[in-house]
Amino acid sequence: QPPLVESGGGSVQAGRSLSVTCTASGYIEPAACLAWFRQAPGKEREGVAITVLRGATASYADSVKGRFGISRDNDNTAWNLEMTDLRPEDSGMYFCAALSCAGACWTRISPSCVRHAWGQGTQVTVSS
């Protein structure tokens, strides 16, 4: 059972905004980080954003820097990936996951650092 569940997403035109939500459904190590990943058809899963679970520190992939941001609810049970100025290349299935904050897990937002089951994801489609 994945400890995190994705929701939201949808279809928008390029230049518009959209958010996806990650909700905790199971236990997550408090010292862990939370990251958003995406995967387009035929491509590898890539990390786009990572944040500490209890704090405001975050980091973003170069491809989304300045356009995506992470917000959270007050009790740290839900995190939103807020996406602005969307581009067709942002399309894909979006996933969230808990992972270590150490080393390459943070700097590369590496999917290989995820040690729990992945959720089903939520689809984001951006049309030109």
Side-chain angles (χ1 to χ4, degrees):
Q1 188 82 359
L4 296 162
V5 178
E6 304 88 356
S7 62
S11 298
V12 296
Q13 289 188 320
R16 304 298 292 269
S17 301
L18 197 64
S19 65
V20 290
T21 299
C22 179
T23 304
S25 61
Y27 176 76
I28 304 171
E29 170 60 46
C33 279
L34 181 132
W36 283 97
F37 301 85
R38 68 186 180 193
Q39 188 168 18
K43 294 188 176 182
E44 293 187 353
R45 191 165 300 184
E46 63 172 349
V48 296
I50 187 169
T51 183
V52 295
L53 274 179
R54 301 186 185 280
T57 304
S59 181
Y60 301 90
D62 288 344
S63 59
V64 305
K65 199 170 294 183
R67 301 188 297 121
F68 287 17
I70 298 177
S71 65
R72 69 194 68 216
D73 67 358
N74 291 333
D75 57 2
N76 286 306
T77 60
W79 298 262
N80 303 305
L81 181 67
E82 298 172 351
M83 305 177 287
T84 65
D85 189 23
L86 282 161
R87 305 167 182 171
E89 55 265 37
D90 294 319
S91 297
M93 191 70 76
Y94 280 68
F95 303 86
C96 61
L99 71 172
S100 168
C101 304
C105 297
W106 178 269
T107 58
R108 298 180 184 178
I109 318 178
S110 175
S112 64
C113 294
V114 177
R115 294 289 180 262
H116 61 72
W118 291 91
Q120 293 188 337
T122 186
Q123 180 69 36
V124 171
T125 303
V126 184
S127 58
S128 57

